[in-house]
Amino acid sequence: MNAPAASIDLAPALVVLPGPRAAVADAAGAQPLRPPDARDLFERGPVLLAHAAMTARRLGLHAPPRGPGLFDAMELFAFVRPARFCAPSAAGLAQALGLPEPKGAPAQAAALREACRVLLAELAAAPEPSREEALATAETLARGGWAWGPATIGALRSAPVGNMFRTSGLDVWTRLVEWEAEAPPGEAGSRPIEAADAAERLKALLAQAGLAEARPAQATFAAEAAFAFQPREREGEPRMMLAEAGTGVGKTLGYLAPASLWAEANGPAVWVSTYTRALQRQIERESQAIFPDPKVRAKKAVVRKGRENYLCLLNFQDATNAAQLGNGDLVGMGLAARWARVTRDGDMTGGDFPAWLPTLFHVAPAAQASAANLVDRRGECIHAGCAHYRTCFVEKAIRGSRRADIVIANHALVLTQAAFDGARAARGSKADNETSQLKRIVFDEGHHLFDAADSAFSAALSGAEAAELRRWIRGPEGRGRRGRGLEARLLDVLGGEEDGKQVLLDATRAAAALPGEGWSGRIAPPNGEVNPSGPIESFLVAVIDQLRARATSSDVGMECAARPALDLVRSTAREAAAAIAKIEAPMLALVRHLEDVLDAEAATLGPSERARIEGALRGLDKRARMTLPAWRSMLRAIDEDSEDDPDFVDWFEATFLYGRVVDAACRRHWVDPTEPLTNAVIAPAHGVLVTSATLADPALDDPFALAEMRTGAARLPDRPKTLKLASPFDYANQAKALVVTDVSRDDARQVAAAMRELFLAAGGGGLGLFTAIRRLKAVHERIAAPLADKGLALYAQHVDPLEVGALVDIFRAEQDACLLGTDAVRDGVDVPGRSLRLLVFDRVPWPRPDILHKARRARFGGKGYDDAVARGRIAQAFGRLIRRADDQGCFVMLDAQAPTRLFSALPEGVEIQRVSLVEAIEAVEAFLGPPQQS
């Protein structure tokens, strides 16, 4: 069956690595190619590629549109293996298909050609989910001009195929499994989990996973973590534990052992919350030890995110229909349809959707088959009123979490949901069934809990936020825009209720005062001639005037204190507050009206009508009782020029894009966000475990003092239980830490030269971390070509046309590649092995001394607080280096001013050496050297 696919005459394969270094492979073999010849082949075609846009960028060309001569192997992979992981490069393809890692451009070109042959043979042999369905989709895409159309159709027709499909194959919503309603799970029990039982469960999990017996530290962690699963004794006083477990301890299975026992005994769920998407998926994979059967695991260990992460089938149907009429990206929608048919849970951001798919070719942003267009980011869901309600991925995830044993969520979802439900409960409204389960919580990556709370419990009135609210209320007002306003979502629900229809009309009219289409060009036009429309835009123009008068510009924008305010700011704030009040009043009336409907018609409302009204109420409640009052409160404080509230920080901020202002905002944050965190999440829980590899600070007399303050534990009547377990790794022999003393951190040329030579000394596998995007770009510009000349590929966040997760995937797949990044890379990289063997900081990662940080520094300990934040960031970065017992790595700081006290957070056995650049290069080369040949 492989023969027909293998006999397809493939176009020559072109690979272009940074530098650029190019190679081509055809039937005669692989050979290097000069960049001019590579450009000619790229533009002339036909040619096989792996990520056309990235290839074009390296050749100095613009990303191309799809064409009959451009065969992107990543699209073929997405068609043949939907919802399967692959790093978007030739090396990534080889790795995903089990081929040897190709090193160098010629080897990668040959591997790319071979990968396409393998994929077509696989499609011919075993197409997913059926041959008929795959063929229907392939034929639709072929009619749309897809380059791979004839080849995929040929592969699929190499075996007998039925004719059961009468549709395009893109209407996947008709073939998805519906969720089924189930009885409520009831309240969780309080049966305690004994330490010895947790340790025994860990042994069983390790045996199930085929691993060796528990490491002593891991067994200790599991036994001690059982504390958080004991019954609490008093309301508002959870069993709280702070546990630092160094890299390699195995804390995930360590806490899953008692968590799984508790869920089995008490139910309905333990919530495990992470900061990064990558860790969510990692925990789900590790839960295989508890639930080895994939079907059982899909029900028992559920990944949960906010609804803005999941494919909205109604949006997808709209976009697909438009694409088939020529108003969109038909090929992109077809490949997304292939994914939607087999995805685990419909998660488009960090799940099994290939985030690189919309970036392969030049497609207008509004037409892309991307999360930006296909999820419900705007809160426009009509819930039970949607034709796809019974197959909705969000509804499946919500219902799945209600009956799961382990819910793997993220800090943002847990905290924002808890804040909202806490506010509803305070008014006597019913809390959400899902977050009312937050009785036992594990916060992994607990060092980020403070920052997550800061985001969840803050408020911002900006042009973008206000325009988004207008769109939510009034619907899309531009031509050709998809979406549904309040009237479209609620008019039929209100039926003959004239009072309800009137307040709905009043809210819609009042929302016209919010910024509309083109608002940014009116408040901050390039020519400086502002032309605000409405009171909110006028206020933002005045805010920008105050910023220009008092702020200092940075790379990303400007900021200044909100008070004392300019007279113009105060007067426009007054008018803006009045306009917001006129929106808030009818929206509150609408909320009360819908609540009355639920009450008065309780006996006659069907389940779908009730679900639809409750869904609408959540969106209205959030905006009418949280967002709008917060905006009015900020504006009133500015108008009255009142004294600063010691619990809050208010400031003005302008956002830059390409060096000019594009938005302005008035922001309000808690100085200490653990106050609302404790009230909304920690105190109502029965047991809370906060864990991380970098939770304690050994530089403090009490290593957990800062962690207690930053997690809310310090606000509880009793101190939490604490545990500190060191990593089992031999850091003294596995790692080196160097501070370079003769490089000027403020001279981009010196920093670039140092990073270049260090990367070369390590033979690749280098990660460069920066505290500013501007410096990252300056270094990348200087070192990309020299590294390429030596055979090392360099990738960079904010430079390459890929999101950070895809860049990390490529970095992981290519053992000798190098990567430049900022905070998101520092916090989200999990790259064991030689792919990451050198980490270079351009300077000490001090916290940025903005208005908010200054207020917190004054509250939490002055310079000592700055030190603690920097120590935590350094420790987190160092933790990226050594991920397993056979790793080796060098940590280098290119900042001679780095105080020795900041390195006390590094693992025991790691000694900081202050050396010259030459000595550092020699040390890195000697320590890392080439890998031992087996």
Side-chain angles (χ1 to χ4, degrees):
M1 195 175 291
N2 290 355
S7 65
I8 291 175
D9 184 20
L10 293 171
L14 173 66
V15 165
V16 182
L17 299 180
R21 290 172 297 124
V24 64
D26 54 21
Q31 59 184 2
L33 198 64
R34 296 186 315 118
D37 296 330
R39 278 190 290 271
D40 184 55
L41 175 59
F42 182 89
E43 294 182 309
R44 184 186 73 242
V47 63
L48 285 177
L49 305 161
H51 207 297
M54 180 81 83
T55 304
R57 188 185 192 94
R58 289 174 181 163
L59 292 172
L61 303 171
H62 293 297
R66 285 191 186 84
L70 292 177
F71 296 82
D72 198 312
M74 301 311 305
E75 288 194 331
L76 180 61
F77 183 92
F79 186 91
V80 178
R81 291 192 174 187
R84 306 267 285 277
F85 173 78
C86 182
S89 68
L93 273 168
Q95 189 176 81
L97 296 173
L99 303 174
E101 181 190 353
K103 295 192 175 183
Q108 290 196 25
L112 177 58
R113 189 174 168 86
E114 178 61 19
C116 292
R117 290 190 183 280
V118 169
L119 286 169
L120 287 169
E122 185 176 312
L123 182 63
E128 298 181 59
S130 71
R131 189 174 299 275
E132 291 80 7
E133 185 170 345
L135 180 59
T137 306
E139 289 178 338
T140 298
L141 301 191
R143 289 193 294 271
W146 189 37
W148 284 109
T152 54
I153 291 171
L156 289 164
R157 289 196 176 280
S158 63
V161 56
N163 191 28
M164 62 174 287
F165 265 80
R166 302 293 183 184
T167 72
S168 65
L170 275 58
D171 55 342
V172 292
W173 51 86
T174 65
R175 294 184 294 282
L176 296 178
V177 177
E178 294 186 351
W179 52 261
E180 295 181 357
E182 294 187 7
E187 289 295 316
S190 297
R191 290 180 58 186
I193 300 303
E194 301 299 331
D197 293 337
E200 284 300 315
R201 170 56 63 92
L202 176 63
K203 288 183 181 179
L205 295 183
L206 290 169
Q208 180 72 49
L211 302 173
E213 66 181 47
R215 290 153 282 187
Q218 187 180 32
T220 299
F221 186 98
E224 294 293 323
F227 172 84
F229 298 94
Q230 305 306 306
R232 70 176 182 179
E233 297 181 356
R234 285 176 294 276
E235 183 181 12
E237 299 181 24
R239 296 276 186 165
M240 189 161 186
M241 179 176 180
L242 306 182
E244 176 175 290
T247 306
V249 165
K251 68 177 183 300
T252 302
L253 282 182
Y255 60 65
L256 286 179
S260 60
L261 278 175
W262 186 90
E264 289 172 12
N266 298 291
V270 174
W271 281 60
V272 178
S273 180
T274 75
Y275 188 69
T276 60
R277 297 165 179 165
L279 186 57
Q280 275 187 280
R281 284 295 169 188
Q282 180 182 324
I283 294 169
E284 190 275 330
R285 288 193 297 270
E286 294 207 34
S287 71
Q288 183 175 355
I290 311 171
F291 313 111
D293 185 327
K295 292 183 179 179
V296 173
R297 188 166 71 255
K299 294 181 177 180
K300 293 290 190 178
V302 173
V303 175
R304 267 297 278 124
K305 298 181 181 180
R307 66 171 53 247
E308 68 278 3
N309 293 279
Y310 297 93
L311 174 70
C312 169
L313 291 170
L314 189 56
N315 283 350
F316 182 66
Q317 182 180 11
D318 289 347
T320 298
N321 290 342
Q324 292 184 91
L325 294 173
N327 299 318
D329 179 15
L330 180 62
V331 173
M333 292 301 165
L335 296 175
R338 295 280 294 157
W339 164 80
R341 187 69 173 87
V342 298
T343 175
R344 171 189 163 93
D345 55 12
D347 180 0
M348 295 193 76
T349 61
D352 52 18
F353 180 76
W356 39 259
L357 187 59
T359 70
L360 300 178
F361 291 97
H362 174 71
V363 178
Q368 291 177 355
S370 65
N373 294 323
L374 299 179
V375 303
D376 177 25
R377 290 192 185 280
R378 304 179 185 277
E380 296 176 338
C381 181
I382 56 177
H383 302 278
C386 178
H388 308 305
Y389 183 63
R390 300 286 303 185
T391 54
C392 175
F393 288 115
V394 176
E395 293 297 327
K396 287 178 181 177
I398 291 173
R399 282 161 174 74
S401 70
R402 289 173 182 165
R403 61 178 181 266
D405 281 7
I406 307 292
V407 178
I408 307 162
N410 53 66
H411 298 350
L413 173 69
V414 169
L415 300 189
T416 54
Q417 290 281 69
F420 177 55
D421 286 334
R424 284 174 64 88
R427 294 189 300 273
S429 300
K430 185 180 72 171
D432 181 76
N433 288 333
E434 186 180 23
T435 49
S436 64
Q437 295 179 7
L438 290 173
K439 297 294 188 286
R440 304 285 169 173
I441 314 172
V442 177
F443 286 109
D444 204 336
E445 298 180 302
H447 59 284
H448 281 302
L449 192 53
F450 185 91
D451 296 328
D454 180 42
S455 177
F457 299 103
S458 61
L461 170 55
S462 67
E465 292 284 340
E468 195 62 53
L469 179 59
R470 174 177 174 141
R471 190 185 192 280
W472 186 83
I473 296 172
R474 294 175 63 89
E477 296 170 279
R479 294 182 61 187
R481 298 279 300 278
R482 295 194 310 274
R484 295 161 291 280
L486 266 184
E487 187 174 349
R489 302 199 297 275
L490 290 179
L491 196 59
D492 59 332
V493 171
L494 294 171
E497 300 285 342
E498 295 303 322
D499 290 346
K501 290 181 178 179
Q502 184 58 52
V503 294
L504 176 58
L505 179 60
D506 292 343
T508 303
R509 287 173 175 168
L514 297 169
E517 294 287 329
W519 60 269
S520 181
R522 291 191 294 273
I523 69 169
N527 62 10
E529 296 179 5
V530 298
N531 182 32
S533 174
I536 311 301
E537 291 186 19
S538 295
F539 169 69
L540 295 175
V541 168
V543 164
I544 293 171
D545 285 347
Q546 180 163 321
L547 283 161
R548 285 175 171 151
R550 298 179 182 174
T552 301
S553 297
S554 68
D555 287 354
V556 294
M558 302 182 287
E559 67 171 28
C560 72
R563 293 182 293 277
L566 297 177
D567 289 343
L568 180 61
V569 171
R570 293 178 60 191
S571 62
T572 54
R574 188 179 314 125
E575 294 168 0
I580 287 171
K582 290 179 180 179
I583 303 169
E584 184 181 341
M587 287 183 67
L588 283 171
L590 186 57
V591 168
R592 289 190 292 268
H593 186 82
L594 290 174
E595 289 173 339
D596 290 344
V597 170
L598 284 178
D599 183 33
E601 301 181 18
T604 58
L605 277 177
S608 62
E609 290 85 355
R610 175 172 293 276
R612 187 171 180 184
I613 293 174
E614 288 179 343
L617 272 173
R618 286 188 65 85
L620 283 164
D621 223 8
K622 179 179 178 181
R623 291 160 179 84
R625 286 174 166 159
M626 294 180 70
T627 302
L628 291 172
W631 288 359
R632 279 198 303 105
S633 177
M634 288 190 291
L635 292 168
R636 184 175 63 251
I638 292 165
D639 174 25
E640 296 172 354
D641 218 14
S642 55
E643 291 186 12
D644 291 341
D645 186 325
D647 288 331
F648 295 97
V649 181
D650 292 356
W651 76 96
F652 295 151
E653 174 183 279
T655 305
F656 285 3
L657 182 65
Y658 304 121
R660 73 175 188 88
V661 174
V662 292
D663 197 2
C666 175
R667 296 190 175 275
R668 170 172 287 180
H669 284 237
W670 287 81
V671 175
D672 184 358
T674 65
E675 181 173 338
L677 167 66
T678 304
N679 294 336
V681 183
I682 305 297
H686 289 219
V688 179
L689 170 62
V690 181
T691 186
S692 168
T694 56
L695 203 57
D697 188 340
L700 304 178
D701 293 336
D702 179 353
F704 282 95
L706 186 63
E708 288 184 36
M709 184 278 293
R710 289 175 63 87
T711 59
R715 293 182 174 275
L716 298 176
D718 297 324
R719 291 200 65 185
K721 178 183 177 69
T722 59
L723 177 69
K724 190 175 190 303
L725 297 170
S727 169
F729 298 146
D730 181 7
Y731 286 104
N733 291 311
Q734 287 183 253
K736 274 191 176 299
L738 311 171
V739 175
V740 176
T741 59
D742 57 352
V743 170
S744 173
R745 67 177 194 177
D746 296 318
D747 186 334
R749 292 174 64 91
Q750 289 190 43
V751 172
M755 204 166 282
R756 178 194 69 221
E757 295 304 317
L758 288 165
F759 285 175
L760 289 172
L767 173 61
L769 292 177
F770 294 80
T771 57
I773 297 172
R774 173 176 48 82
R775 292 196 298 273
L776 180 155
K777 291 181 175 180
V779 169
H780 177 271
E781 185 178 350
R782 287 177 168 87
I783 71 173
L787 289 179
D789 289 342
K790 299 293 184 180
L792 300 184
L794 178 68
Y795 301 95
Q797 185 189 10
H798 305 295
V799 175
D800 289 313
L802 286 171
E803 51 93 29
V804 66
L807 287 173
V808 172
D809 290 340
I810 295 174
F811 178 60
R812 185 186 295 111
E814 299 179 15
Q815 190 178 91
D816 297 328
C818 296
L819 175 64
L820 306 181
T822 54
D823 287 354
V825 174
R826 182 192 70 220
D827 293 329
V829 173
D830 182 22
V831 184
R834 280 185 60 83
S835 290
L836 175 50
R837 52 190 181 269
L838 170 67
L839 190 148
V840 185
F841 256 116
D842 77 320
R843 61 179 60 196
V844 172
W846 295 111
R848 192 164 68 92
D850 55 25
I851 290 172
L852 180 59
H853 177 74
K854 288 178 181 177
R856 288 178 176 159
R857 180 169 57 192
R859 173 79 62 92
F860 300 135
K863 294 180 180 178
Y865 182 67
D866 286 345
D867 285 359
V869 173
R871 270 195 301 271
R873 292 174 178 177
I874 290 171
Q876 272 295 310
F878 185 89
R880 305 299 96 194
L881 261 184
I882 309 298
R883 308 298 292 171
R884 61 191 191 195
D886 59 347
D887 278 356
Q888 281 194 305
C890 287
F891 174 97
V892 181
M893 176 71 72
L894 298 178
D895 189 346
Q897 301 175 35
T900 300
R901 66 181 184 274
L902 297 184
F903 299 100
S904 61
L906 297 185
E908 188 174 345
V910 178
E911 294 185 5
I912 285 290
Q913 301 176 45
R914 293 183 178 271
V915 297
S916 68
L917 177 59
V918 171
E919 291 171 323
I921 293 167
E922 292 172 347
V924 167
E925 189 170 21
F927 188 71
L928 296 179
Q932 296 296 318
Q933 299 296 322
S934 56

